[in-house]
Amino acid sequence: MPITGRCFCGAVTFTCDEPPIMTRACWCRDCRYLAAGNSTVNAVFKAESVKIKGQLSDYRSAADSGNAMRRSFCPKCGTPMFSAAESRPHLLIIRTGTLDDQELARPSVNIWTASAPSWACMDTSLPAVEGQPA
């Protein structure tokens, strides 16, 4: 059964033919901007397995890791949806809030924990990586 998702208004939809490679909660400063101060929860997929319908807008930036990032969002409702590092074009990061099945959104690791604020609520049963995982 394919994995499906959409933006808030439904103008952008996607399907994935394979499960995520991993799901992680990211505490980097860029992600906290996108998540109104909290971590983002992101699922990493093989880019070739994701089919996207609808128009996206992109914002390019340099991440704390040094990677050049392309962050894609719905231009109609503003939902952050995808990101991809130019150094890893074979991977697509999907913001798990856009997944129709929210049970797929359970993180397996916390990353960029050194950037988290003192009040961050992290699942301490998960592995923690201070910066960018290998």
Side-chain angles (χ1 to χ4, degrees):
M1 173 181 267
I3 295 168
T4 59
R6 67 178 186 88
C7 65
F8 183 62
C9 72
V12 179
T13 61
F14 62 88
T15 59
C16 308
D17 297 333
E18 297 181 28
I21 297 166
M22 75 177 316
T23 304
R24 57 200 189 181
C26 183
W27 290 92
C28 79
R29 185 62 180 113
D30 291 348
C31 282
R32 289 188 295 118
Y33 277 116
L34 295 170
N38 211 342
S39 68
T40 58
V41 181
N42 308 296
V44 182
F45 287 85
K46 290 181 185 175
E48 65 188 21
S49 73
V50 181
K51 308 295 182 257
I52 301 167
K53 291 183 182 176
Q55 178 185 354
L56 290 166
S57 289
D58 290 339
Y59 178 74
R60 295 182 186 278
S61 65
D64 288 341
S65 64
N67 286 318
M69 300 295 296
R70 179 180 40 90
R71 302 175 196 281
S72 301
F73 59 95
C74 173
K76 186 173 179 181
C77 67
T79 301
M81 297 193 68
F82 311 106
S83 63
E86 288 181 8
S87 62
R88 294 185 300 274
H90 61 289
L91 299 176
L92 183 67
I93 300 165
I94 297 178
R95 305 282 182 244
T96 60
T98 65
L99 295 171
D100 291 331
D101 182 355
Q102 288 293 287
E103 291 305 311
L104 294 170
R106 177 182 294 274
S108 59
V109 63
N110 285 299
I111 65 171
W112 287 95
T113 58
S115 298
S118 63
W119 51 261
C121 295
M122 285 186 225
D123 182 344
T124 57
S125 71
L126 297 179
V129 179
E130 288 190 355
Q132 180 68 31

